[in-house]
Amino acid sequence: MTSRKDPSLSDHFRFRHHPEHGFVATAAPSFTPHLAEWFLVREQFEPVPFSPGLYRLTEPNRDGLRRTRQAVHDLRNLGYRVRDDSALDPTHASVPPQPTASIDLAERRSRIARAAAVRPSRITALANATPSAPPPAAGKAPAAGQGRSR
Protein backbone atom coordinates (compact mmCIF):
# COMPACT_ATOMS: atom_id res chain seq x y z
CA MET A 1 0.00 0.00 0.00
CA THR A 2 1.46 3.36 -0.98
CA SER A 3 0.98 6.34 1.27
CA ARG A 4 -0.25 9.35 -0.59
CA LYS A 5 0.08 12.73 1.02
CA ASP A 6 -3.23 14.52 1.37
CA PRO A 7 -2.93 17.76 -0.65
CA SER A 8 -5.35 19.50 1.71
CA LEU A 9 -2.77 19.10 4.50
CA SER A 10 0.12 20.65 2.56
CA ASP A 11 1.43 24.10 3.33
CA HIS A 12 0.13 27.10 1.44
CA PHE A 13 3.28 29.23 1.85
CA ARG A 14 6.90 28.58 2.77
CA PHE A 15 9.30 31.20 4.12
CA ARG A 16 13.05 30.80 4.51
CA HIS A 17 16.34 32.60 4.31
CA HIS A 18 18.03 32.33 0.91
CA PRO A 19 21.81 32.88 0.64
CA GLU A 20 21.49 35.13 -2.43
CA HIS A 21 18.07 36.78 -2.11
CA GLY A 22 17.69 37.11 1.65
CA PHE A 23 14.21 36.40 3.04
CA VAL A 24 12.14 34.55 0.43
CA ALA A 25 8.68 33.05 0.16
CA THR A 26 7.11 30.49 -2.15
CA ALA A 27 3.56 29.28 -2.55
CA ALA A 28 2.48 25.68 -2.89
CA PRO A 29 2.08 24.53 -6.50
CA SER A 30 -1.60 23.88 -5.82
CA PHE A 31 -2.09 27.50 -4.70
CA THR A 32 -3.33 29.86 -7.42
CA PRO A 33 -0.26 31.82 -8.63
CA HIS A 34 -1.97 35.20 -9.04
CA LEU A 35 -3.56 34.89 -5.59
CA ALA A 36 -0.20 33.98 -4.05
CA GLU A 37 1.37 37.02 -5.72
CA TRP A 38 -1.46 39.24 -4.45
CA PHE A 39 -0.89 38.14 -0.84
CA LEU A 40 2.91 38.24 -0.97
CA VAL A 41 3.11 41.65 -2.65
CA ARG A 42 0.90 43.08 0.09
CA GLU A 43 3.28 41.56 2.64
CA GLN A 44 6.15 43.49 1.00
CA PHE A 45 7.58 40.66 -1.11
CA GLU A 46 8.42 41.01 -4.80
CA PRO A 47 8.84 38.40 -7.54
CA VAL A 48 12.43 37.29 -8.15
CA PRO A 49 13.33 37.73 -11.84
CA PHE A 50 13.96 34.47 -13.73
CA SER A 51 12.70 32.40 -10.75
CA PRO A 52 8.98 31.78 -11.18
CA GLY A 53 7.14 31.34 -7.92
CA LEU A 54 9.95 32.77 -5.77
CA TYR A 55 9.39 36.07 -3.94
CA ARG A 56 11.96 38.05 -1.97
CA LEU A 57 11.41 40.61 0.74
CA THR A 58 11.79 44.18 -0.45
CA GLU A 59 14.60 45.98 1.38
CA PRO A 60 15.65 43.05 3.61
CA ASN A 61 18.17 45.24 5.46
CA ARG A 62 15.34 47.42 6.77
CA ASP A 63 14.16 45.27 9.71
CA GLY A 64 13.83 42.21 7.47
CA LEU A 65 13.52 39.57 10.18
CA ARG A 66 10.65 41.37 11.92
CA ARG A 67 8.86 42.07 8.64
CA THR A 68 9.16 38.43 7.53
CA ARG A 69 7.89 37.21 10.91
CA GLN A 70 4.98 39.64 10.58
CA ALA A 71 4.15 38.22 7.11
CA VAL A 72 4.15 34.67 8.55
CA HIS A 73 1.92 35.85 11.40
CA ASP A 74 -0.50 37.67 9.07
CA LEU A 75 -0.93 34.73 6.70
CA ARG A 76 -1.51 32.34 9.59
CA ASN A 77 -4.13 34.68 11.02
CA LEU A 78 -5.90 34.54 7.65
CA GLY A 79 -6.08 30.75 8.02
CA TYR A 80 -3.28 29.70 5.69
CA ARG A 81 -0.78 27.01 6.61
CA VAL A 82 2.72 28.45 6.60
CA ARG A 83 6.01 26.60 7.00
CA ASP A 84 9.08 28.60 7.88
CA ASP A 85 12.60 28.37 9.21
CA SER A 86 12.57 28.19 12.98
CA ALA A 87 14.30 31.60 13.14
CA LEU A 88 11.40 33.15 11.19
CA ASP A 89 8.60 31.65 13.28
CA PRO A 90 6.93 34.44 15.29
CA THR A 91 6.01 31.98 18.05
CA HIS A 92 9.70 31.24 18.65
CA ALA A 93 10.61 34.90 18.96
CA SER A 94 11.43 35.94 22.51
CA VAL A 95 9.82 39.35 21.97
CA PRO A 96 6.74 39.85 19.81
CA PRO A 97 7.53 41.62 16.55
CA GLN A 98 7.35 45.38 17.01
CA PRO A 99 8.27 48.11 14.58
CA THR A 100 11.39 49.96 15.60
CA ALA A 101 10.88 53.67 16.18
CA SER A 102 13.80 56.00 16.05
CA ILE A 103 14.87 57.82 19.21
CA ASP A 104 13.98 61.16 17.63
CA LEU A 105 10.43 60.02 16.95
CA ALA A 106 10.02 58.66 20.48
CA GLU A 107 11.35 61.94 21.93
CA ARG A 108 8.99 64.00 19.75
CA ARG A 109 5.99 61.93 20.82
CA SER A 110 7.02 62.31 24.45
CA ARG A 111 7.21 66.11 24.11
CA ILE A 112 3.79 66.22 22.44
CA ALA A 113 2.27 64.08 25.19
CA ARG A 114 3.76 66.29 27.92
CA ALA A 115 2.49 69.44 26.19
CA ALA A 116 -0.98 67.99 25.79
CA ALA A 117 -1.09 67.07 29.47
CA VAL A 118 -0.06 70.55 30.65
CA ARG A 119 -1.90 73.02 28.43
CA PRO A 120 -5.62 72.80 27.71
CA SER A 121 -6.36 72.71 24.04
CA ARG A 122 -8.03 75.66 22.33
CA ILE A 123 -11.11 73.56 21.60
CA THR A 124 -11.55 72.76 25.30
CA ALA A 125 -11.16 76.44 26.22
CA LEU A 126 -13.78 77.46 23.65
CA ALA A 127 -16.18 74.74 24.77
CA ASN A 128 -15.99 75.89 28.41
CA ALA A 129 -16.50 79.60 27.58
CA THR A 130 -19.91 81.17 28.21
CA PRO A 131 -21.79 82.16 25.08
CA SER A 132 -21.87 85.89 24.40
CA ALA A 133 -24.21 87.99 22.30
CA PRO A 134 -23.48 87.80 18.59
CA PRO A 135 -21.69 90.80 17.11
CA PRO A 136 -23.89 93.35 15.33
CA ALA A 137 -24.32 92.81 11.62
CA ALA A 138 -22.41 95.05 9.25
CA GLY A 139 -24.44 97.88 7.76
CA LYS A 140 -27.65 99.48 9.00
CA ALA A 141 -30.26 97.45 10.77
CA PRO A 142 -33.84 98.46 9.83
CA ALA A 143 -35.63 100.42 12.54
CA ALA A 144 -38.78 98.96 14.00
CA GLY A 145 -41.85 99.71 11.94
CA GLN A 146 -39.99 100.93 8.87
CA GLY A 147 -39.98 97.72 6.89
CA ARG A 148 -41.30 97.35 3.37
CA SER A 149 -45.02 97.14 3.02
CA ARG A 150 -46.92 95.00 0.64
Side-chain angles (χ1 to χ4, degrees):
M1 177 181 246
T2 61
S3 64
R4 228 171 79 182
K5 188 175 181 182
D6 185 1
S8 66
L9 297 177
S10 67
D11 300 318
H12 293 112
F13 294 97
R14 292 187 176 130
F15 289 83
R16 61 187 171 92
H17 190 271
H18 190 276
E20 183 182 345
H21 300 296
F23 299 104
V24 295
T26 57
S30 61
F31 203 82
T32 309
H34 70 275
L35 186 59
E37 182 172 343
W38 189 88
F39 277 113
L40 292 172
V41 166
R42 273 137 193 86
E43 291 292 340
Q44 302 178 11
F45 282 80
E46 62 186 0
V48 175
F50 308 111
S51 297
L54 185 65
Y55 296 84
R56 66 180 167 208
L57 184 65
T58 60
E59 300 180 50
N61 296 332
R62 189 177 52 90
D63 206 11
L65 181 61
R66 185 202 58 84
R67 291 170 50 222
T68 305
R69 284 179 177 167
Q70 187 65 47
V72 169
H73 175 76
D74 292 345
L75 290 170
R76 284 183 178 157
N77 277 348
L78 290 172
Y80 293 104
R81 288 180 300 279
V82 180
R83 185 187 309 173
D84 56 359
D85 290 344
S86 61
L88 301 178
D89 191 352
T91 58
H92 291 122
S94 58
V95 178
Q98 296 292 325
T100 56
S102 69
I103 295 171
D104 295 335
L105 180 60
E107 177 61 30
R108 181 174 182 269
R109 287 180 180 165
S110 176
R111 284 194 319 259
I112 291 170
R114 285 192 309 264
V118 173
R119 295 183 232 144
S121 69
R122 185 174 181 201
I123 295 171
T124 306
L126 291 175
N128 293 335
T130 58
S132 60
K140 287 184 171 181
Q146 292 180 347
R148 292 172 68 182
S149 63
R150 291 187 189 234

